[in-house]
Amino acid sequence: MVEKVIFEIGDVVKGTIEQIEEKQAIVSVGGKVDGILPLKEISNVHIEKVTDVLSVGEELELKVIKVEEDNLILSKRAVDAEKAWDVLQERFDNKVSIEVTVTEVVNGGLIADVGVRGFIPASLVSKNFVEDLSSYKGTTFEVLVEEIDREKNRVILSHKAVEIKETEVQRKAAFSSLTVGQIIEGKVERITNFGAFVNVGGVDGLVHVSQLSHKRVENPAEIVSVGDLVKVQIISIDEKTNRLALSMKSVQPGPWDELKEDVKVGAVVEGIVKRLTNFGAFVEIQTGLEGLVHISQISEKHIKNPKEALEVGQTVKVKVLDLKKEEKRLSLSIKEAQEAELKEDYSKYIQPQENAGFQLGELFGEKLKNFKTK
């Protein structure tokens, strides 16, 4: 004769699933009574069918929530919750992540079973904006406990916090592998009006607009596009502010490295006026190579401001007065270029004295009045 076991509400018992029905599971707990585990008492999150989470023969730890004459009403979620609160509190206190599976997508966020019902607000799903949360249903990922309140049965979780933490770990590892002066390949991630952000070794660094090219750049999009693979040199690292300064210009041949043969002292070349200042004009004579035309070298006439004689974008001829490649210094003269051109013009017409049948003044008129012999 089997002795009848006495159960009371609140008892925690071990049982084995003997049968699964549509809305409940029948559990053997010993003695003459059957244990009934209703669908709603299986989990702290919504499930459609018992078979979604349980199977025949599975052993469970269950709590008695009601005693009937021939049956015990049992709860798995009550036992899970008791255990979960202690674990969640410990994880919250020590900022340790836990792995969860998303069971529902609800208005404003996601639901995950962590022994109790855990809520992940939409703003804490990812560090990047997520437009459609439906793709997260059934996915498993790490979360941190952001907020816990046992009395209110409230648990707020964050996957975003885990992503940020992982990014910081990756950033520190990446920074430790980078050195100033290192040349490395990176991918253009973003373009702004002040430069381009390039990802190198898992961290983003800024290539300032002034470091994109040897030539003057007004819009970074003229030089690079998002997704481009580019070579950069690391010019500074600041781990405290997480700032990485990069240069594309420093790994490219500069105009001084590719100086054209005709650019030499005394040569007259063509250029474009790029900038005007109070003391002169900067003229580009080959891509990225600018020289200064001092205000005194702009015109034979006395001018108080370069704007009186020049405008940005104007094409002019200049004479190379001084060129120091080591110092990257170039001095130019528009005035002397004009004089050199004038000399060349009238030299074509000079004949031996016995054949001269005209005066130079007849050929050049006013030009000679302004000409000074160097």
Side-chain angles (χ1 to χ4, degrees):
M1 180 178 178
V2 178
E3 183 179 351
K4 185 176 181 180
V5 181
I6 305 298
F7 296 97
E8 296 183 356
I9 293 173
D11 287 349
V12 175
V13 299
K14 288 185 178 180
T16 302
I17 298 176
E18 292 188 335
Q19 182 181 339
I20 292 178
E21 299 176 354
E22 185 179 357
K23 296 294 182 181
Q24 63 185 24
I26 307 301
V27 182
S28 171
V29 292
K32 292 185 176 181
V33 295
D34 288 327
I36 297 175
L37 177 59
L39 179 65
K40 67 178 183 178
E41 292 297 331
I42 293 174
S43 174
N44 283 282
V45 297
H46 176 73
I47 56 174
E48 295 291 336
K49 299 180 294 182
V50 178
T51 51
D52 287 342
V53 290
L54 299 177
S55 57
V56 172
E58 191 172 347
E59 291 187 355
L60 303 172
E61 199 171 57
L62 307 164
K63 189 173 186 178
V64 178
I65 57 174
K66 188 176 181 181
V67 179
E68 296 179 344
E69 187 174 345
D70 297 317
N71 297 307
L72 296 176
I73 308 300
L74 307 171
S75 174
K76 178 179 178 294
R77 71 185 186 95
V79 174
D80 291 343
E82 287 293 331
K83 294 178 179 178
W85 284 113
D86 292 337
V87 173
L88 290 169
Q89 188 65 55
E90 183 269 330
R91 297 294 175 93
F92 175 75
D93 293 340
N94 295 291
K95 295 181 173 56
V96 177
S97 64
I98 53 176
E99 187 176 80
V100 300
T101 299
V102 176
T103 56
E104 292 180 69
V105 178
V106 296
N107 186 30
L110 308 172
I111 300 297
D113 184 5
V114 286
V116 294
R117 184 182 173 91
F119 180 57
I120 310 171
S123 61
L124 298 181
V125 171
S126 175
K127 60 187 179 71
N128 301 314
F129 175 72
V130 179
E131 187 173 356
D132 183 12
L133 294 176
S134 62
S135 61
Y136 280 89
K137 186 172 182 179
T139 60
T140 299
F141 49 56
E142 296 286 317
V143 296
L144 283 171
V145 181
E146 282 285 310
E147 185 182 332
I148 183 169
D149 190 328
R150 190 165 185 169
E151 291 183 3
K152 294 181 180 179
N153 200 35
R154 176 184 173 89
V155 178
I156 304 298
L157 307 171
S158 173
H159 178 54
K160 176 182 177 180
V162 173
E163 287 184 332
I164 292 173
K165 191 174 179 181
E166 288 174 347
T167 299
E168 188 58 30
V169 171
Q170 291 170 359
R171 178 180 286 276
K172 286 182 179 179
F175 268 116
S176 66
S177 67
L178 301 174
T179 56
V180 173
Q182 181 180 356
I183 295 173
I184 188 171
E185 188 174 73
K187 183 179 180 182
V188 179
E189 297 288 349
R190 287 186 295 133
I191 297 175
T192 69
N193 58 358
F194 54 84
F197 286 92
V198 177
N199 187 282
V200 287
V203 295
D204 285 348
L206 173 65
V207 181
H208 189 266
V209 64
S210 63
Q211 293 295 325
L212 284 169
S213 174
H214 287 284
K215 70 178 185 179
R216 194 173 180 83
V217 179
E218 297 294 336
N219 182 0
E222 298 171 5
I223 305 298
V224 292
S225 302
V226 172
D228 284 354
L229 293 177
V230 294
K231 278 190 176 180
V232 294
Q233 185 172 40
I234 299 169
I235 55 178
S236 72
I237 298 172
D238 190 337
E239 290 190 52
K240 290 182 180 178
T241 59
N242 289 329
R243 288 182 180 175
L244 189 65
L246 308 171
S247 173
M248 286 173 54
K249 180 171 73 173
S250 63
V251 298
Q252 300 166 352
W256 287 97
D257 301 315
E258 300 179 327
L259 205 60
K260 293 180 180 177
E261 290 183 7
D262 60 348
V263 178
K264 54 189 176 183
V265 174
V268 175
V269 295
E270 199 170 76
I272 299 173
V273 178
K274 289 293 185 178
R275 288 178 289 148
L276 296 173
T277 69
N278 292 333
F279 55 84
F282 286 90
V283 176
E284 184 182 61
I285 61 171
Q286 76 178 57
T287 303
L289 183 62
E290 293 182 7
L292 173 64
V293 180
H294 191 267
I295 190 169
S296 64
Q297 293 295 325
I298 290 177
S299 175
E300 286 284 351
K301 298 178 183 178
H302 176 70
I303 58 174
K304 293 182 178 180
N305 192 303
K307 291 181 181 179
E308 295 175 25
L310 300 171
E311 60 183 30
V312 173
Q314 181 179 345
T315 299
V316 293
K317 285 190 175 180
V318 292
K319 183 178 179 179
V320 179
L321 299 181
D322 191 22
L323 188 154
K324 289 185 171 61
K325 192 172 180 180
E326 297 77 15
E327 300 174 20
K328 295 183 179 179
R329 183 175 161 185
L330 181 64
S331 297
L332 307 171
S333 174
I334 295 174
K335 181 174 70 174
E336 292 200 18
Q338 291 171 341
E339 292 175 354
E341 188 175 27
L342 183 58
K343 283 181 181 179
E344 184 180 348
D345 283 347
Y346 79 71
S347 67
K348 297 175 185 177
Y349 296 94
I350 295 177
Q351 302 294 328
Q353 191 170 357
E354 62 271 22
N355 296 327
F358 51 82
Q359 298 293 320
L360 289 176
E362 294 174 11
L363 290 172
F364 294 100
E366 292 299 317
K367 284 188 178 182
L368 285 175
K369 293 180 182 179
N370 295 325
F371 175 67
K372 287 183 178 180
T373 303
K374 295 298 289 178

